[in-house]
């Protein structure tokens, strides 16, 4: 771990601190040390404007693990797979943790499956063709909106739509294979006391 961090150009103090946090994350989540290094590196690279340091990452993951029974292992697996795409979609680290937590809590799917699903959803929801079809269905979204603004508008529309329209909307965004994960996220976002909002409030209080 120390060698890997040193290769990134960190000074001795930064290398030691990140190595310590990689070991803590490995113990907390049950993932290997090399994977812990990868998670910390990918988060800090993708979210360098909103994440203070590796200690901040560990604390946030631990808080979710303790308070919501969402495993740090699943969070790490999802974040490592989708972190760069989340940043491109203008999703903050706190928001990404909240999205993954909401889906994992509801579906029980693995972090790897959730991360791969979110990559598909982020990508499809950025396409002009998909947004154009959603606009035709009365959902007022465009590329000026962040991912969370888009998905919250979609969630509101789905809540009052027919089963046929819901199927059309969710297939547009989730494709054929990610519909169930997308539906679980939309359902949670329509609940003001849902996991997403509760985790986000916890993250932002730290």
């Amino acid at each position: 771990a120390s060698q890997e961090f040193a290769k990134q150009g960190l000074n001795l103090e930064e290398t030691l601190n990140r190595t310590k946090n990689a070991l803590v994350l490995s113990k907390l989540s049950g993932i290997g040390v090399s994977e812990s290094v990868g998670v910390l590196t990918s988060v800090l690279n993708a979210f360098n404007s909103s994440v203070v340091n590796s200690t901040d990452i560990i604390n946030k993951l631990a808080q979710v693990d303790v308070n919501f029974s969402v495993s740090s292992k699943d969070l790490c697996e999802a974040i490592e797979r989708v972190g760069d795409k989340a940043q491109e979609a203008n999703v903050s680290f706190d928001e990404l943790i909240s999205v993954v937590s909401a889906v994992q809590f509801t579906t029980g799917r693995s972090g790897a499956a959730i991360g791969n699903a979110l990559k598909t959803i982020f990508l499809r929801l950025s396409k002009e063709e998909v947004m154009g079809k959603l606009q035709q269905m009365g959902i007022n979204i465009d590329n000026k909106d962040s991912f969370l603004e888009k998905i919250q508008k979609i969630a509101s529309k789905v809540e009052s739509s027919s089963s046929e329209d819901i199927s059309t909307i969710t297939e547009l965004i989730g494709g054929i294979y990610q519909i169930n994960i997308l539906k679980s996220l939309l359902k949670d976002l329509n609940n003001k006391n849902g996991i997403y909002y509760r985790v986000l409030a916890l993250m932002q209080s730290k």
Side-chain angles (χ1 to χ4, degrees):
S2 296
Q3 288 177 339
E4 185 59 38
F5 286 132
K7 289 177 186 177
Q8 297 173 20
L10 303 178
N11 62 34
L12 179 59
E13 183 180 357
E14 291 170 329
T15 296
L16 290 173
N17 186 56
R18 286 200 195 174
T19 300
K20 178 189 73 175
N21 285 326
L23 294 171
V24 171
L25 181 57
S26 179
K27 183 177 180 181
L28 174 69
S29 63
I31 64 177
V33 174
S34 60
E35 190 175 351
S36 295
V37 171
V39 170
L40 294 178
T41 300
S42 64
V43 170
L44 289 166
N45 287 343
F47 301 100
N48 53 27
S49 62
S50 61
V51 175
V52 177
N53 52 46
S54 57
T55 304
D56 192 34
I57 298 169
I58 301 296
N59 290 339
K60 287 175 184 268
L61 293 176
Q63 285 294 318
V64 175
D65 195 316
V66 169
N67 287 280
F68 294 94
S69 298
V70 175
S71 79
S72 297
K73 182 177 187 293
D74 285 318
L75 290 171
C76 288
E77 288 179 348
I79 291 166
E80 192 171 20
R81 282 164 174 76
V82 77
D84 57 338
K85 299 303 180 185
Q87 194 273 335
E88 291 173 11
N90 197 24
V91 177
S92 71
F93 180 63
D94 289 353
E95 290 169 337
L96 180 58
I97 290 179
S98 303
V99 167
V100 173
S101 298
V103 173
Q104 206 281 328
F105 188 89
T106 304
T107 66
R109 298 290 299 276
S110 70
I114 294 169
N116 290 333
L118 290 176
K119 277 200 293 189
T120 297
I121 293 167
F122 289 158
L123 176 62
R124 292 178 72 89
L125 201 47
S126 68
K127 291 183 175 181
E128 293 288 349
E129 178 186 0
V130 172
M131 285 194 292
K133 290 179 179 179
L134 292 172
Q135 288 167 355
Q136 291 172 10
M137 299 185 72
I139 303 172
N140 183 28
I141 61 171
D142 56 45
N143 270 331
K144 292 183 293 185
D145 295 327
S146 68
F147 169 78
L148 264 303
E149 289 171 331
K150 291 176 185 175
I151 205 73
Q152 285 170 329
K153 290 178 181 179
I154 292 163
S156 296
K157 176 67 175 178
V158 163
E159 191 174 30
S160 59
S161 295
S162 67
S163 297
E164 183 178 350
D165 283 346
I166 291 172
S167 296
T168 302
I169 291 168
T170 52
E171 188 168 336
L172 274 172
I173 303 165
I176 297 172
Y177 301 107
Q178 311 303 347
I179 289 177
N180 289 338
I181 283 178
L182 175 61
K183 283 183 175 179
S184 73
L185 175 59
L186 295 174
K187 182 178 180 180
D188 189 81
L189 288 172
N190 276 326
N191 177 4
K192 293 304 179 184
N193 195 40
I195 298 297
Y196 171 81
Y197 297 107
R198 290 162 57 194
V199 172
L200 186 61
L202 178 65
M203 295 298 95
Q204 294 178 344
S205 70
K206 300 302 174 186

